[in-house]
Amino acid sequence: KLYNNQVFIADNIKEVIPEFLLLLKGVIDCPDLPLNVSRSALQNDGFVQKISEYISKKVADKLTGMCKTDRESYEKYWDDISPFIKFGCIKDSKFSEKLHDYILFKDVDNKYLTLKDCIEQNKKEDAAESDDTKKEDAENKENAEKKEPEKTTIFYVTDPVQQSQYINMFKEAGKNAVILSHNIDTTFISHLEQKDQTIQFKRIDADVTEELKGEGAADENTAKTLTELFRKNLNMEKLEVKAENLKNESVAAMMTLSEESRRMQDMMKMYGMSGMDPAMFGGSGETLVLNANNALVKYILANPEGENTDIMCKQLYDLAVISHTPLNPESMTAFIERSNKILEILSEK
């Protein structure tokens, strides 16, 4: 509420209170505020701008102080206030600089980390690699031409339930990820990447990381045969298929989508362009990753013309999609009918 010499004038004046701080409750008594002018003049008044900057500074100081001295309370409030703080960092560069080291990220174990914590944790995970891998990487670096410095990758999830399969695989590999489930997070991580060129954010299903792979790579013939089989049985000639030897043999298939394509799709949804083909803007689309170590995939590979190969291909594809994004109504109906049919086949045996 805005007062002038203890006389109530108005509340929620956005020219005085920064937009991202309108959730604040409080009183400002300012005898020097020019009130006999229009809103447009008030907006351009230098004194009003100083008040706005002062409020932002006081809030930033309060938050950083709380994080330093009362971290438990800060974490308690974080989930509720984080969208506003992130919005403020995007809108106000000074606010962003003050809060940069006090932005929290909740990981998949519900532990709160700062950006610095995420980077240090990532470096520790990388340091746990085998000596052979390190030696190979060193040789590659020595032989390669000078390129941009390597970026620290911070993995994230947007839906812990939907992406639980990927989370479990990450945990088994000793990797961690943070939860970024709010609408503003896509814009916010792009903001952080612009400010710091040494970090990059990547959703855990953007690619199959080296830590998830087992020994050796799937041979070309296996990849070629699986690609032909799935394209034929799914009637999807342009489907991208990749064969990998994953450590977790129980995972038959998973879907990946490059980080660039995902952000492009998010941007298109934001601007009401979700019906357009992402490929028009350079989007590569999704890739079906099949685990060559899985028994079901081995069966399909060994029985390309089998009686149940068609239904298994479709079921594995839908299972991969479900762990990546919700099925559309038609696909969900077909998935349920197909699941019932599989149960009937098993009961007959």
Side-chain angles (χ1 to χ4, degrees):
K1 296 182 182 298
L2 183 64
Y3 284 75
N4 187 322
N5 286 320
Q6 300 184 13
V7 177
F8 175 71
I9 304 300
D11 53 13
N12 294 338
I13 296 182
K14 64 180 181 180
E15 288 83 7
V16 179
I17 307 294
E19 187 179 9
F20 60 92
L21 294 179
L22 285 178
L23 78 161
L24 284 176
K25 291 183 179 180
V27 173
I28 299 174
D29 195 333
C30 184
D32 299 320
L33 195 67
L35 299 175
N36 59 341
V37 293
S38 65
R39 273 288 179 93
S40 60
L42 186 65
Q43 186 175 10
N44 296 322
D45 186 86
F47 185 72
V48 171
Q49 183 64 30
K50 287 182 180 179
I51 296 176
S52 179
E53 291 176 358
Y54 180 76
I55 294 171
S56 295
K57 180 180 180 300
K58 291 293 287 184
V59 171
D61 291 341
K62 176 68 176 178
L63 290 171
T64 56
M66 182 185 290
C67 187
K68 290 176 182 177
T69 61
D70 192 1
R71 178 69 176 260
E72 186 176 346
S73 294
Y74 188 69
E75 292 180 357
K76 179 182 176 182
Y77 295 122
W78 178 254
D79 288 348
D80 292 327
I81 65 175
S82 63
F84 300 95
I85 293 177
K86 291 172 182 177
F87 181 47
C89 289
I90 295 169
K91 296 282 287 184
D92 187 333
S93 59
K94 291 182 180 179
F95 186 80
S96 177
E97 289 173 9
K98 282 184 172 291
L99 268 297
H100 183 268
D101 294 332
Y102 305 97
I103 298 293
L104 298 185
F105 298 88
K106 186 163 68 174
D107 69 8
V108 291
D109 293 321
N110 291 324
K111 179 182 176 182
Y112 288 93
L113 307 169
T114 63
L115 183 59
K116 184 179 179 181
D117 293 335
C118 293
I119 294 171
E120 289 179 353
Q121 185 182 73
N122 185 282
K123 289 180 178 178
K124 287 180 182 179
E125 291 169 356
D126 291 342
E129 292 178 351
S130 66
D131 292 336
D132 291 339
T133 304
K134 290 180 180 178
K135 184 177 179 181
E136 183 180 343
D137 290 343
E139 290 175 354
N140 290 337
K141 289 179 183 177
E142 186 178 344
N143 296 331
E145 297 179 359
K146 289 185 178 181
K147 297 180 180 179
E148 294 181 3
E150 288 189 14
K151 294 187 177 184
T152 300
T153 301
I154 300 172
F155 292 97
Y156 69 93
V157 300
T158 54
D159 188 332
V161 176
Q162 186 97 48
Q163 295 143 27
S164 59
Q165 173 182 275
Y166 301 93
I167 292 173
N168 292 334
M169 292 174 68
F170 254 57
K171 286 184 176 180
E172 289 172 3
K175 301 284 286 183
N176 196 10
V178 297
I179 301 171
L180 297 175
S181 56
H182 198 276
N183 292 339
I184 200 171
D185 284 325
T186 300
T187 306
F188 180 67
I189 60 178
S190 297
H191 165 77
L192 290 178
E193 289 169 339
Q194 289 174 359
K195 287 181 66 68
D196 188 345
Q197 301 292 323
T198 64
I199 62 171
Q200 63 177 353
F201 286 82
K202 186 180 288 187
R203 210 170 89 166
I204 58 175
D205 56 354
D207 199 0
V208 180
T209 63
E210 291 299 321
E211 291 81 7
L212 303 183
K213 298 177 183 179
E215 295 182 3
D219 61 78
E220 292 184 10
N221 288 334
T222 297
K224 183 179 179 181
T225 303
L226 287 173
T227 300
E228 292 174 353
L229 276 170
F230 274 79
R231 284 180 176 177
K232 174 186 174 183
N233 289 304
L234 296 172
N235 194 26
M236 300 172 67
E237 295 181 0
K238 295 183 179 180
L239 176 67
E240 291 290 331
V241 181
K242 193 175 181 182
E244 295 283 4
N245 289 327
L246 301 181
K247 287 181 181 178
N248 191 332
E249 295 181 3
S250 64
V251 177
M254 54 191 290
M255 193 70 71
T256 63
L257 178 65
S258 69
E259 187 66 22
E260 294 78 10
S261 295
R262 175 174 293 107
R263 295 198 195 183
M264 177 63 71
Q265 290 184 11
D266 288 342
M267 186 185 73
M268 290 166 66
K269 288 178 183 177
M270 188 183 301
Y271 290 100
M273 301 163 61
S274 56
M276 299 182 70
D277 184 1
M280 294 173 60
F281 301 92
S284 58
E286 297 142 336
T287 300
L288 175 65
V289 179
L290 298 169
N291 184 7
N293 287 332
N294 179 264
L296 291 174
V297 176
K298 288 179 179 178
Y299 175 86
I300 292 172
L301 197 60
N303 300 273
E305 301 297 332
E307 182 181 354
N308 299 319
T309 298
D310 171 72
I311 195 172
M312 289 178 70
C313 287
K314 291 177 180 176
Q315 195 73 354
L316 287 186
Y317 176 79
D318 280 351
L319 287 170
V321 172
I322 287 174
S323 62
H324 172 76
T325 186
L327 291 174
N328 60 46
E330 294 79 11
S331 297
M332 178 57 76
T333 300
F335 175 75
I336 294 172
E337 291 177 352
R338 198 184 313 115
S339 298
N340 289 329
K341 187 175 181 180
I342 291 173
L343 291 175
E344 290 175 8
I345 293 173
L346 292 174
S347 65
E348 290 174 358
K349 292 185 178 181

